[in-house]
Amino acid sequence: MFARPTLLPLVCAACAAFAEPREITLVELIEALRAQGVGLVYSSALVDPGQRVLVESTDLEALKAALAELGLALEAREGVWVITRAVGANLEPPTAAGKRFATPVLENVIVTGTLHRFPHTGTAASHFGFSAEDLATLPTLGSDALRSTLRLPGVSSSGVSAKPRVRGGLQDELLVLQDGVELLEPFHLADYHSAYSSIDYLTIESLEFYTGGFPSRYGSRMSGVMDIGNRWQDSDYSTHLGYSTFAAFAHTRGRFGEQHPTDWLLSYRQGDLQDLTDYIDSRSGNPEYQDVSARLKTSLTPSLSLDGGIVYADDDIRFEDEEERAFSKIANTYAWLGAEWEASESLAGRATLSALDFNREKGEASFEADEEDPGKGGFLEYRQEVKRAALRNDWTRLAGPMRWEFGWQLEYNRAEYRQRARIDRGDLAAILGTPQEIERDLEASPRGWSGGAYLQLEADLSEQLTLQPSLRWDFQDYYCDRGSESQFSPRLGLAYWWSEHSLLRLSLGRFYQQEGIQELQLLDGETRFFKPQHSDQVVGGWQWRGDSLKLSAELYYKRYGKPKKRYENIFNPFVLLPEMEPDRVPLRPDRAEARGVDLDLRKSLLEPLEGFARYSFMDARDRIDGEWVDRRWSQTHTVNTGLVWRGDSYRLSLALVWHSGWRSSELPGFVAEDTVVPLVSVLNNIELDDYFSLDFSARKHWDFSRARVEIYADIVNVTDHDNLAGVDFDVEEVEGGFSLVPDRATLLGKVPSVGIILSF
């Protein structure tokens, strides 16, 4: 069992006086922050070298306050901070049409820095940005940063998984990137619904989340993109030591060198997730985990920098009771080396070489089946090893009103799979028409190349209208029995400023998703990859921004072609042995679609108080055997709302989520002997009770001369509301057939977590 360390003594001497305010130029403040590793982009039309500001410290909060005095603002976009004109500020001169567009866009001249990640403000993508402060403020289970995305419109969640389902899509339709590298399993408890992310929020500077119409530089997934930026420098403290309900952790970062400034970052975390696994009906468990990362970034010249690092995460999880046992061991390592350069004032590029090593070992055993109690029984053993080497090259070119993005990626993939199983699924499997007895001894060794290329143009056709056409091409040749596959994905985006506060957006295009080398479904007996899927998407949006109010609305439609065969537990998926359960069935839709409406309102109520309210309507369906069937996670109505109070030394937040209940499958109370119930007649034929969770978060810190002590607490599902996971069935043999008695299973109840951090 994981041994929790003792707390370090929190002894600090308070001997330094508060810093006196000083006057510097705005450019000096910006450059000081850049020297700390903060990515900043601004226009010389907005920032004048002669502008002077009064500051007490050198951090982002000081910059925000200084910009506000000048009618400017700071926004997080695609991993960098962008200085924009504050909404409502006067613009001189007016446009040619006589209008004054006080829109938060960059003007004409981009001044140095991070050109390859220039934020395309005219994009028609459905996009949300989170800063480090946002991730630390919103109430989430176990202070899990990636769970902040579960509160966004269009996201389906039952509170268990940290991996979002985006606009009716499957969980594997999400692309997660960090350091320019795709992460295969950035979640702990990956074999048990990915309940906790393996990325600590203290290492994150920004999180960009796309829910539709995303740029063509992102490929291989159909529904969403999560792009994570690293937090290289902390303006106040370089080292954080902490202890919480779920983890003990240490983070340290710093800088050395004057001629070639070099930033470094080290992070380590280990813990026990027993308190998060109540949704698994097991009497004892030992879910240990750890993750560690080391990163380095250096500037060789003003126009050339290098970065690299290595990240490792593992799970060692065991559960057991008198009738069932399960274990899961996962080790995930990736390393990378990157280079960024500015070839000229208008052309910049990045190259990233990366390697990934992923290993999974999984076992399941059930001791239920016998002559008196013919339930499930048997064992399953599974091993998976994946290795990948990849080279990626991205370019950005600015040419007046046109901005080009283009690039390519090439990967070599190799995997080894092995499964041995002997399973007896009992009478319930026979009722559903699936095999009762299964015996497997399977191996597979796919290997080969994959990659792609993309080209995207963003052109300002006028002062109000921006056009964004793009094209992506992908290929794979590790489909051993079919040779190589290739796909073309055309996409188009439009953005039109209707007025100084109102923006209209439209995006449409095709998005392909191939089964990755790591996604062969050998665990369920599949020995070949399925053909690439695709979705055709149309998204229309409207956005209005005022002095203290932001409002957006989007309508979307997604039509899926060639959906792959997948396996689901149709009664209750939150079980210890999902692959051995009698309700494990194959689903092979010939078509699928999702449609919906997303509304998002954010309001500054008082100076320290902010609120948000979000509503979503969703309808996601599969067509199976000619019948349209709701997907289990198709939340018809969803409401997310919350309040955040930011004080000088504390933050309080309260959030509520309510949504229509997920679907489940219900069998008749009696089934005659030798009768098979058609799957499509019962699949997701009932709606569970509505889901409800009231969540709370509080953080308080005390500053000393050279240190800070912070305590925090999160409580998820404060009211301990019984949210349903599904309906299991107890089978009893009676005269002439079987009696089926429903057994309602619940999800996580109230989950509190507390922690303390010493920063110095």
Side-chain angles (χ1 to χ4, degrees):
M1 178 63 72
F2 161 68
R4 300 183 185 272
T6 59
L7 293 178
L8 296 173
L10 307 179
V11 180
C12 306
C15 59
F18 289 103
E20 291 294 331
R22 66 190 189 280
E23 188 179 58
I24 59 175
T25 68
L26 180 57
V27 172
E28 287 174 340
L29 177 57
I30 293 170
E31 293 304 324
L33 287 169
R34 282 180 169 175
Q36 295 176 9
V38 179
L40 284 164
V41 175
Y42 66 91
S43 165
S44 58
L46 296 179
V47 176
D48 189 293
Q51 291 168 321
R52 303 189 70 81
V53 295
L54 196 65
V55 297
E56 294 183 355
S57 59
T58 306
D59 53 31
L60 284 174
E61 292 304 316
L63 178 59
K64 290 179 182 178
L67 293 174
E69 293 293 325
L70 299 170
L72 303 175
L74 196 63
E75 293 193 2
R77 298 181 191 161
E78 301 196 13
V80 296
W81 291 100
V82 183
I83 296 176
T84 69
R85 198 177 295 274
V87 175
N90 289 327
L91 262 179
E92 295 293 345
T95 67
K99 297 181 180 180
R100 300 178 187 272
F101 286 94
T103 57
V105 298
L106 287 174
E107 316 253 325
N108 294 323
V109 183
I110 303 302
V111 180
T112 72
T114 341
L115 183 61
H116 73 283
R117 300 190 68 184
F118 174 71
H120 289 174
T121 56
T123 183
S126 305
H127 168 259
F128 299 87
F130 293 86
S131 67
E133 184 180 6
D134 296 331
L135 298 175
T137 299
L138 290 172
T140 58
L141 191 150
S143 298
D144 188 343
L146 302 195
R147 280 181 172 269
S148 299
T149 62
L150 302 182
R151 300 194 182 279
L152 295 176
V155 172
S156 298
S157 173
S158 63
V160 170
S161 179
K163 182 188 292 186
R165 300 176 185 267
V166 181
R167 289 182 169 173
L170 279 67
Q171 281 190 309
D172 66 3
E173 294 176 22
L174 175 71
L175 174 66
V176 183
L177 296 167
Q178 188 176 25
D179 308 307
V181 180
E182 178 184 0
L183 309 183
L184 296 192
E185 287 284 4
F187 299 93
H188 295 297
L189 290 168
D191 285 325
Y192 302 96
H193 305 280
S194 302
Y196 199 66
S197 74
S198 60
I199 304 172
D200 194 344
Y201 80 89
L202 287 172
T203 67
I204 299 176
E205 176 68 26
S206 63
L207 191 158
E208 306 297 321
F209 192 68
Y210 296 86
T211 57
F214 37 88
S216 61
R217 64 179 173 272
Y218 300 119
S220 79
R221 301 290 121 171
M222 294 186 293
S223 287
V225 176
M226 189 182 294
D227 197 347
I228 300 167
N230 295 319
R231 190 176 187 180
W232 288 100
Q233 291 293 325
D234 191 311
S235 58
D236 296 316
Y237 306 103
S238 61
T239 301
H240 307 272
L241 304 177
Y243 175 83
S244 75
T245 307
F246 300 119
F249 52 89
H251 311 275
T252 185
R253 50 175 65 87
R255 164 171 288 201
F256 61 86
E258 296 184 2
Q259 184 177 2
H260 302 295
T262 300
D263 296 306
W264 54 271
L265 169 65
L266 297 174
S267 172
Y268 178 77
R269 194 170 57 152
Q270 65 171 353
D272 180 335
L273 298 174
Q274 178 64 54
D275 293 340
L276 296 189
T277 56
D278 289 344
Y279 59 89
I280 299 175
D281 187 14
S282 175
R283 294 175 185 167
S284 63
N286 186 25
E288 298 177 356
Y289 77 93
Q290 66 175 340
D291 46 66
V292 58
S293 64
R295 293 176 166 88
L296 198 70
K297 181 175 70 173
T298 184
S299 297
L300 299 182
T301 71
S303 59
L304 175 63
S305 65
L306 300 177
D307 62 88
I310 185 168
V311 174
Y312 174 80
D314 71 40
D315 285 10
D316 187 357
I317 298 169
R318 296 179 182 274
F319 296 107
E320 63 180 314
D321 58 23
E322 294 178 355
E323 300 173 338
E324 298 176 340
R325 293 178 186 171
F327 74 89
S328 172
K329 293 184 178 181
I330 295 178
N332 192 355
T333 305
Y334 75 88
W336 80 98
L337 177 64
E340 298 176 8
W341 61 88
E342 293 185 14
S344 67
E345 292 183 356
S346 61
L347 180 64
R350 175 176 173 85
T352 305
L353 178 64
S354 62
L356 180 141
D357 188 357
F358 177 82
N359 292 273
R360 168 184 272 128
E361 185 177 354
K362 182 174 183 177
E364 300 177 354
S366 174
F367 314 104
E368 292 186 26
D370 56 44
E371 294 182 359
E372 297 181 358
D373 183 13
K376 66 179 183 293
F379 72 92
L380 181 148
E381 297 174 354
Y382 176 75
R383 291 188 178 185
Q384 176 189 25
E385 180 181 344
V386 177
K387 296 184 183 298
R388 171 183 292 170
L391 178 62
R392 182 181 180 110
N393 185 206
D394 300 278
W395 293 87
T396 300
R397 178 175 175 79
L398 306 179
M402 295 188 296
R403 297 169 292 278
W404 295 89
E405 280 195 15
F406 51 95
W408 55 271
Q409 180 166 337
L410 185 64
E411 305 164 338
Y412 181 74
N413 311 272
R414 181 166 62 88
E416 301 288 342
Y417 292 86
R418 176 69 191 270
Q419 187 206 155
R420 293 178 60 247
R422 184 176 296 114
I423 304 170
D424 182 354
R425 288 179 167 168
D427 295 325
L428 189 54
I431 293 172
L432 294 172
T434 58
Q436 288 181 265
E437 297 184 2
I438 298 172
E439 188 163 353
R440 299 191 188 118
D441 191 351
L442 304 175
E443 294 184 9
S445 301
R447 59 198 63 206
W449 295 90
S450 61
Y454 68 92
L455 174 65
Q456 178 168 299
L457 167 65
E458 183 167 298
D460 296 330
L461 302 184
S462 70
E463 293 184 354
Q464 293 100 330
L465 179 63
T466 299
L467 176 69
Q468 189 182 62
S470 65
L471 179 65
R472 184 176 181 90
W473 171 75
D474 293 281
F475 82 95
Q476 313 81 37
D477 78 347
Y478 47 77
Y479 299 139
C480 303
D481 56 343
R482 293 198 307 269
S484 62
E485 297 270 359
S486 64
Q487 308 85 39
F488 283 96
S489 309
R491 305 174 192 178
L492 178 65
L494 292 168
Y496 180 76
W497 284 99
W498 181 260
S499 71
E500 61 180 318
H501 297 292
S502 183
L503 173 68
L504 300 176
R505 294 181 287 110
L506 175 68
S507 68
L508 60 156
R510 171 160 289 193
F511 298 80
Y512 270 97
Q513 178 165 328
Q514 314 82 20
E515 279 198 298
I517 194 76
Q518 76 281 4
E519 294 179 308
L520 182 64
Q521 300 181 66
L522 193 91
L523 192 58
D524 284 300
E526 300 292 338
T527 57
R528 63 192 297 270
F529 292 98
F530 292 101
K531 293 182 73 67
Q533 313 166 83
H534 67 264
S535 69
D536 296 320
Q537 303 182 20
V538 179
V539 182
W542 168 74
Q543 179 178 310
W544 188 90
R545 306 173 67 136
D547 293 335
S548 61
L549 176 67
K550 295 181 181 179
L551 176 64
S552 66
E554 288 193 344
L555 293 88
Y556 64 88
Y557 174 74
K558 298 163 64 174
R559 182 179 63 189
Y560 290 83
K562 300 180 181 178
K564 70 177 182 180
K565 181 180 180 181
R566 67 181 192 269
Y567 289 79
E568 291 185 8
N569 295 83
I570 63 172
F571 298 147
N572 175 19
F574 303 100
V575 291
L576 184 59
L577 314 179
E579 290 80 16
M580 295 181 63
E581 292 289 341
D583 67 333
R584 185 77 168 183
V585 300
L587 302 180
R588 185 64 190 267
D590 58 75
R591 184 177 167 186
E593 63 179 24
R595 67 190 77 198
V597 178
D598 292 336
L599 304 176
D600 182 16
L601 182 150
R602 282 168 280 180
K603 171 71 173 175
S604 296
L605 302 172
L606 301 170
E607 184 174 349
L609 182 63
E610 299 174 0
F612 65 89
R614 294 159 179 159
Y615 167 78
S616 295
F617 167 81
M618 180 193 300
D619 179 22
R621 306 182 296 169
D622 291 305
R623 192 173 69 180
I624 302 175
D625 296 337
E627 299 287 337
W628 284 102
V629 180
D630 289 324
R631 287 185 162 181
R632 181 181 183 89
W633 52 91
S634 179
Q635 299 170 190
T636 306
H637 302 286
T638 305
V639 174
N640 264 291
T641 186
L643 294 170
V644 177
W645 185 287
R646 305 174 194 267
D648 292 335
S649 63
Y650 64 90
R651 283 171 292 179
L652 302 174
S653 58
L654 188 68
L656 177 151
V657 57
W658 168 91
H659 63 70
S660 304
W662 281 22
R663 270 66 174 179
S664 189
S665 302
E666 185 175 64
L667 293 171
F670 172 80
V671 175
E673 190 174 359
D674 299 326
T675 298
V676 174
V677 176
L679 177 61
V680 73
S681 69
V682 299
L683 181 63
N684 298 335
N685 61 343
I686 63 169
E687 185 176 303
L688 300 174
D689 294 343
D690 293 348
Y691 178 94
F692 175 84
S693 181
L694 180 65
D695 309 325
F696 172 76
S697 177
R699 308 181 79 92
K700 168 68 176 175
H701 69 260
W702 293 268
D703 287 323
F704 301 92
S705 61
R706 297 183 181 180
R708 168 179 291 181
V709 175
E710 181 177 44
I711 60 172
Y712 59 93
D714 293 287
I715 305 177
V716 173
N717 195 8
V718 172
T719 63
D720 203 20
H721 186 77
D722 284 337
N723 294 305
L724 292 181
V727 181
D728 290 319
F729 288 89
D730 296 325
V731 182
E732 181 179 350
E733 190 170 355
V734 297
E735 183 177 354
F738 301 93
S739 172
L740 304 177
V741 180
D743 180 15
R744 291 157 60 95
T746 59
L747 294 166
L748 285 168
K750 179 168 62 177
V751 183
S753 60
V754 295
I756 185 169
I757 302 175
L758 169 63
S759 304
F760 55 90

